[in-house]
Each structure stands twice: as structure tokens, then as C-alpha cells.
Amino acid sequence: MPTQIKAVGTTEARKPLEVMDIARRDLQPDDVQFQVLYCGICHSDLHQVHNDFGGSSFPMVPGHEIVGRVTAVGSDVKSFKVGDLAAVGCIVDSCGHCPACRHDLEQFCEGEGGTTLSFNTPDKYMGGMTYGGFSQTYVCKEQYTLHVPESLDLAAAAPLLCAGITVYSPLKHWGAGAGKTVGIVGIGGLGHVAIKIAKAMGAHVVVFTTSASKVEDAKRLGAHEAVLSSDPEQMKAFASKIDIIIDTVSATHEVNAYLNLLAIDGSLVLVGLPAEPLEVGAFNVVKGRRSFSGSNIGGIAETQEMLDFCAEHDIVADIELIKADQINEAFERLEKNDVRYRFVIDMSTLA
């Protein structure tokens, strides 16, 4: 019989979240079950709860930056045992046989039903929709469950399951490393982790921010240089000098100002999700053979690689740890960008 557990969710868009009962599936032979210890709060959780992109289904339990400890495993599970640390990010299933899946790109699954996400996508086992990590337990197929290195601070590691892989994947794909200059646009949940990872990869890191108060904080986080993007003279100094720009901004912004900073064959990679289209001037990409690209999280193998990389370089998110009864307040503050730099819920506080 499915197990009834406590979770925090909502029954309609923009309604405050509240404690509710949900069901987790019976353990399948290839399943890992774990107690949720910590779950990060991502901006996309807020978008889904508000139905900003359309298609949200209710009732909804958000949460896709999930870290916990294994409490049970199915009979066929080989790589986890009870007591191990485990984690789940955005992806909990995919078709497994399409070209994307065969190349460890499950985030781009083209099979029937596409990628199954950790919440708010059709649940193949229980019917209805998947429920996320704002909950006491989680059950996931072994193939999509991640190992958390013991050396990482568990609460601060939770945001790596989305924010970390979202910036690690494009930094790796576009070749960040020694001899490359990487620009980071925006210092928030994604941007502050991108600074740490890009620096650990050996790149020269330049941060662009609209907030004067964050210029010094960018250097504390590891940036070699920080630019106030509202100052034309500071921006001009970096014209045609940046090899890779990771654009983390989810609001409408003037992207051409950053395209003009790219060196020959440079790429601007959008990982933020502005609700409105961005206008790109043709000359800003034609000149210098520049590229305007996008990236979306990463596959399971790459996410595990990212966790191991972060453990090796002692990288975690800067977090504000909250209790379960503070989630609505955290969502309100997140909407105002009032967090440095990621809320994480201590799920032991969900009675």
C-alpha cells in the first residue's frame, strides 16, 4: 500500500502553502527511499506555484533540490544501502532509449512523456502528478538517485542539485578553464554558485551586477573582477574581452549590452528564464561570430560529476536555513530577491 506522509504544498495558484497529506508509492525493486533532510527553494518553485509559465497542476508539492538519508532500498538496488546519503534533483525518470537519453542528456528526453521531473509532471506509478521535496520522504529509481559526498555540508549542498548543475553544465560544455575569461551576469541563487565553480575550473571570473552592494560580495565569493553594469565606462572596459558569459537573469534585460562584451567566437549562455522574449540585434552576433545560446540543468551522470567536483573543491551554496513553517515568508522574500543566496528548508521541522 502507498505510504501516507506529511508535505508542504498548495491547492491552487498563489495560495499560501500549507501542511498536507500525500502518498508515496510502494517500493519497487529498483527504488531508493530516503528521509528528506534538506530541500532548497528555487525560483522555479515560485514560478510553478504562481503558474507563471502556465501548465501548473494542483495540488502541488514543490521542491527539486533534495538531500536525505536512505531508509529502504528495493531488492535490485546495488549502489545504495540503508543509512547512505542520497539526493534527487530535477529529473526522476526518462524514456531511457531516445538519442538524448542514450547520450546521458535525460533533461532533453524526446521519448513518450519526456522527462519526468521531481514535481508537477505526470507520475508513471501513482497517477496524478509527482510531488516534490517539501516532504518527509522521497522515493526515486536508483538510476536517477545521486550520491552525496560525505564531506559536503548537507544543507548548503542541497541547492547544487539545481543551481549547481544549471551553471556547471554550460561552463563545462563551453570550455571554461585556464586561459578563459568567464563573465557571470547576476549574483543570485545561480550566479553566486557559478562564480565559485568557474573559479575552481581555473577561469578568470568577471561578475556583472546592477547592484552596487553586490560588487564587493562578488569578490568575496571568488570573482577576480566585479563590474557595475549600469556604469557605461565600466562596461566599455570589457568590450570584446569575455569568452563565455553565463546569464542567470530571469527578468527582462538588455542582453545586447552583454553580447558586445564577447570576444571572437564567444558565447553568451542564457540559464535564466525571462517570461518575455529578449530582443537580439543581428550585428551583435554577426560581429565576431558570437553565439547566443541556452542551457537547461544537466543529465544524471553530469549532475553526479558536478557533486563530486564541488566536494573536491569544497563548493557549496551560501544559504539561509529556514523551518518548514517559514516557507511562505521565504517565497515572499524570494519574489523580492531578498535572500543571499538560497533558502534551504530543514525538513526535520515538518512535524
Side-chain angles (χ1 to χ4, degrees):
M1 291 289 292
T3 304
Q4 294 291 314
I5 64 163
K6 297 292 184 185
V8 179
T10 185
T11 55
E12 60 185 79
R14 294 189 174 271
K15 183 179 178 182
L17 280 71
E18 60 186 8
V19 177
M20 58 175 60
D21 293 317
I22 64 168
R24 290 293 185 208
R25 69 176 181 254
D26 291 332
L27 207 63
Q28 306 294 311
D30 61 347
D31 275 344
V32 175
Q33 173 187 287
F34 60 92
Q35 176 191 1
V36 179
L37 300 176
Y38 301 101
C39 188
I41 299 180
C42 175
H43 225 110
S44 59
D45 294 321
L46 182 67
H47 286 311
Q48 290 283 2
V49 165
H50 287 178
N51 197 23
D52 288 337
F53 300 132
S56 292
S57 180
F58 299 91
M60 178 193 297
V61 174
H64 57 269
E65 299 177 338
I66 315 166
V67 172
R69 195 169 293 278
V70 176
T71 53
V73 297
S75 58
D76 293 342
V77 171
K78 298 292 190 292
S79 64
F80 288 91
K81 65 182 186 301
V82 172
D84 285 351
L85 294 174
V88 165
C90 300
I91 303 169
V92 295
D93 210 345
S94 63
C95 80
H97 52 75
C98 71
C101 289
R102 291 200 305 270
H103 289 88
D104 294 327
L105 298 170
E106 298 93 345
Q107 73 271 34
F108 303 130
C109 176
E110 299 164 338
E112 184 178 355
T115 307
T116 302
L117 302 177
S118 43
F119 79 96
N120 202 41
T121 53
D123 190 322
K124 298 177 181 178
Y125 298 90
M126 300 282 291
M129 305 295 275
T130 53
Y131 291 132
F134 291 11
S135 56
Q136 292 176 313
T137 67
Y138 205 90
V139 178
C140 185
K141 294 175 69 171
E142 178 184 22
Q143 182 181 348
Y144 299 87
T145 306
L146 297 147
H147 292 271
V148 183
E150 293 277 355
S151 62
L152 291 174
D153 177 286
L154 297 185
L160 299 178
L161 277 303
C162 177
I165 186 58
T166 296
V167 297
Y168 179 89
S169 185
L171 285 168
K172 179 187 174 187
H173 182 79
W174 274 275
K180 293 289 184 72
T181 299
V182 171
I184 310 294
V185 180
I187 313 176
L190 296 177
H192 91 284
V193 177
I195 294 168
K196 298 179 183 187
I197 291 176
K199 184 177 183 182
M201 288 178 167
H204 182 85
V205 181
V206 183
V207 167
F208 299 90
T209 177
T210 58
S211 173
S213 66
K214 289 186 177 180
V215 169
E216 286 306 312
D217 210 32
K219 295 177 181 177
R220 176 189 67 80
L221 290 163
H224 297 94
E225 301 179 81
V227 176
L228 191 61
S229 56
S230 57
D231 184 338
E233 289 304 310
Q234 290 188 45
M235 292 288 282
K236 187 177 179 180
F238 288 90
S240 303
K241 292 182 178 178
I242 312 292
D243 298 299
I244 308 156
I245 295 176
I246 305 297
D247 185 345
T248 71
V249 178
S250 286
T252 302
H253 58 291
E254 179 48 74
V255 73
N256 294 286
Y258 299 104
L259 287 170
N260 285 325
L261 303 181
L262 291 173
I264 292 172
D265 287 329
S267 293
L268 186 152
V269 187
L270 184 66
V271 296
L273 292 171
E276 300 296 326
L278 299 178
E279 186 173 295
V280 175
F283 287 101
N284 297 323
V285 289
V286 170
K287 180 183 178 183
R289 201 163 53 194
R290 298 159 172 158
S291 298
F292 181 37
S293 310
S295 184
N296 181 32
I297 53 173
I300 297 300
E302 190 173 48
T303 304
Q304 186 64 62
E305 178 185 299
M306 176 275 305
L307 286 171
D308 295 339
F309 177 90
C310 287
E312 180 184 350
H313 295 278
D314 196 25
I315 294 171
V316 290
D318 286 23
I319 68 165
E320 183 174 333
L321 191 63
I322 65 168
K323 297 179 180 179
D325 63 5
Q326 296 175 292
I327 292 174
N328 286 312
E329 177 189 348
F331 270 39
E332 290 173 5
R333 287 179 54 194
L334 182 59
E335 198 164 16
K336 301 172 186 174
N337 293 316
D338 177 24
V339 57
R340 292 198 179 183
Y341 284 98
R342 202 68 151 189
F343 288 115
V344 174
I345 310 161
D346 178 352
M347 293 310 304
S348 70
T349 63
L350 177 58

